[in-house]
Amino acid sequence: MTNSIKTIGILGGGQLGMMLAQAALKLGYRCVFLEDADNAPAALYGQVFKYDELDDFIAASDVFTLEFENTPVKTAKSLASLEHKGGLFPPTNALEVAQNRLAEKALFNELSIDTVPFMAVESLDELQTAAKTLGLPLVLKTSRGGYDGKGQFFIKTIDEIGAAWDELGGAVTGDGGLTDTPAPLIAEGFINFSREVSIIAVRAQDGDISYYPLVENHHTNGILSKTIAPAADADHLTEQAQSNIGKILSHLDYVGVLTLELFVTDSGLIANEIAPRVHNSGHWSIEGAHCSQFENHIRAVVGLPLGDTQVIKPSVMLNIIGTYSDAHLVLAHSGVHLHHYHKDERAGRKIGHITVMTDALDQTVANIEQLLS
């Protein structure tokens, strides 16, 4: 396949598409993008087509992939069906699962992967029933759409049930502004967990799977702010994490990079959700692993052998959120790598990241976090 592929068509043109294109160029491939948003970061690395230019995007591409799990499934299926092209990776069934939290949890349970208890909710009465069945506190979420803490309500007391329904209930009928696709909400029972972790794996077209180490994630206002790679004291969790994501990859006949987010509890790992794409918690791998998640995804999409996922040196990735820091001050620290996404500053927006790799890791991270605050 690799001999016939020259250009990779990526659905989405954000920073993930930009970093995929950077990795593709090293391997001799060009990328084009399908993206309606203006000023797409990926435009620095290839032509961006609007959705009303889909035919031109198809003509310019030899094989397809995606950088955003909310890619329209209808569009993805149409690209996957084109016999004169190299296919769409990952497959559309992974996209459909990842776009519906209820389907996602059901798949986990089908594969004997532990989750929190959950219930579908389509009315205020059903939400009240879920509160009695699952107990309080619980988390009410839209089953479609929502990311970085959006589309969810943490219900701590009975008095908050009505407010939660008022805020999210419109999504059930499609008039809530959170998603264009009407769907039940999902009520998730609350669990006590010590930390949040994730594992990234990549599966090749021949079924070969490689795993990146388990990493620890920290969030601020629902947005990932820091990833520690590898996670400390996690060796006893690695086998379970690899088994879980491996089962998902094989069941979906997946090709490319997949991310599984997990909670660490006293009884082991609880699966939260998957992302069928390269992921923010894997950005450290650009410098911190022998082969980054972005290069390995490209390798899988074009049919090349997978690269080494082993850590070069322990790393910490810090997201730049909202406002850029002075690059002179950031780069004055040794062992620091700055990635600028060429996005406008805006509160709550990921506009870059910094990876720290140094023997004085804790102190350097503390210094950089102070610059970002």
Side-chain angles (χ1 to χ4, degrees), residues 54-129:
L54 180 60
D55 289 343
D56 294 330
F57 170 74
I58 291 171
S61 307
D62 300 313
V63 68
F64 304 100
T65 188
L66 54 93
E67 61 118 50
F68 186 48
E69 64 263 42
N70 287 325
T71 295
V73 172
K74 182 178 180 180
T75 301
K77 286 184 174 180
S78 69
L79 297 178
S81 68
L82 297 174
E83 295 183 359
H84 63 294
K85 298 293 181 178
L88 170 71
F89 307 106
T92 57
N93 59 342
L95 202 58
E96 290 177 302
V97 168
Q99 288 183 7
N100 187 317
R101 290 186 174 94
L102 284 163
E104 191 175 51
K105 290 285 195 299
L107 175 63
F108 293 163
N109 288 176
E110 178 185 344
L111 298 176
S112 300
I113 297 171
D114 293 334
T115 67
V116 297
F118 65 94
M119 294 176 63
V121 170
E122 296 191 70
S123 68
L124 177 57
D125 286 344
E126 289 187 358
L127 177 54
Q128 291 169 335
T129 298

Side-chain angles (χ1 to χ4, degrees), residues 308-324:
D308 187 352
T309 56
Q310 295 300 303
V311 171
I312 295 173
K313 193 170 189 176
S315 309
V316 173
M317 188 280 301
L318 301 168
N319 273 330
I320 303 171
I321 300 171
T323 305
Y324 290 108

Side-chain angles (χ1 to χ4, degrees), residues 162 180 259 272-273 292:
D180 293 329
T259 307
N272 182 28
E273 61 185 26
S292 76

Side-chain angles (χ1 to χ4, degrees), residues 259-307:
T259 307
L260 175 62
E261 299 179 8
L262 303 143
F263 299 118
V264 178
T265 72
D266 290 342
S267 57
L269 294 173
I270 298 290
N272 182 28
E273 61 185 26
I274 58 170
R277 55 172 172 80
V278 288
H279 192 261
N280 196 174
S281 69
H283 290 359
W284 64 272
S285 66
I286 297 174
E287 290 88 19
H290 289 280
C291 184
S292 76
Q293 64 164 342
F294 299 99
E295 181 176 332
N296 257 329
H297 185 79
I298 295 297
R299 288 183 181 217
V301 167
V302 301
L304 290 171
L306 299 182

